[in-house]
Amino acid sequence: MIRFMEEEDVGNCVNLGERFHKSSYFKWLPYEKEKTFDYVMRGIGDKRKLMLVAEDTPSQKIFGFFTAKVEPFYFCDEMCSIEEVLFVSPENRGGSTAIKFMKAWEAWSMDVGASLMYFSPTSHGQGDKWDGFMKRLGHHKIGSSYRKALK
């Protein structure tokens, strides 16, 4: 089940986020649980943020989370909905969780008046699998992401 994140979920999401961090391109940076906890807590209830969890209904175990924000473009007042994090535990992948997250994000983006949705999967690569997945959901590839570590 996909639902809005609640304050009681934040500790579990922060721990799950540590798993995400260890498997991401950003694993060489420290994962600061307290900072992450504060960030997530501030997002709950913020009308500019979407904070979702994927929960196994019988066990009530959280196995995924999704966050996005909406903000105006720097060059106009139109709103852009920007994905921040999408993570599904490896043992829970292969189902429809990511699709449900994406559809909930699209509905929220429309509700908050966004003109565009922006998704940038920089943590786990941008292979053919992501391309096909995003195209099936009506998204179009607009470029590539680059990074350069300075430490």
Side-chain angles (χ1 to χ4, degrees):
M1 169 177 73
I2 303 298
R3 63 172 176 78
F4 290 108
M5 188 183 297
E6 299 172 356
E7 288 185 4
E8 301 80 39
D9 301 322
V10 176
N12 289 330
C13 289
V14 169
N15 290 332
L16 195 57
E18 188 170 25
R19 286 184 68 192
F20 167 70
H21 183 77
K22 287 179 180 178
S23 68
S24 77
Y25 287 137
F26 302 106
K27 63 185 170 193
W28 60 278
L29 293 167
Y31 184 75
E32 299 174 14
K33 284 187 171 185
E34 189 174 311
K35 181 174 184 166
T36 305
F37 185 91
D38 291 343
Y39 178 81
V40 175
M41 285 297 285
R42 282 191 313 274
I44 294 174
D46 184 338
K47 294 184 187 305
R48 298 166 300 169
K49 295 266 191 178
L50 175 66
M51 314 288 278
L52 300 172
V53 294
E55 179 182 64
D56 177 64
T57 306
S59 70
Q60 296 184 321
K61 180 184 175 195
I62 293 172
F63 62 88
F65 57 89
F66 179 92
T67 69
K69 63 183 178 180
V70 64
E71 60 186 34
F73 289 93
Y74 70 91
F75 54 85
C76 71
D77 290 333
E78 292 291 317
M79 301 300 278
C80 181
S81 182
I82 304 163
E83 170 265 346
E84 294 179 311
V85 180
L86 185 161
F87 180 71
V88 178
S89 297
E91 60 273 16
N92 295 96
R93 294 179 187 161
S96 60
T97 304
I99 292 170
K100 289 176 182 176
F101 276 145
M102 297 297 285
K103 290 188 178 209
W105 175 39
E106 183 172 349
W108 176 81
S109 297
M110 292 171 62
D111 286 347
V112 297
S115 298
L116 179 95
M117 295 169 62
Y118 182 76
F119 181 82
S120 179
T122 57
S123 293
H124 296 289
Q126 299 175 344
D128 293 339
K129 221 174 175 180
W130 270 119
D131 288 343
F133 175 73
M134 296 306 289
K135 285 178 183 173
R136 283 191 301 280
L137 293 173
H139 295 252
H140 306 280
K141 190 171 185 176
I142 60 170
S144 298
S145 296
Y146 298 90
R147 73 177 185 149
K148 180 180 181 179
L150 300 176
K151 288 186 180 184

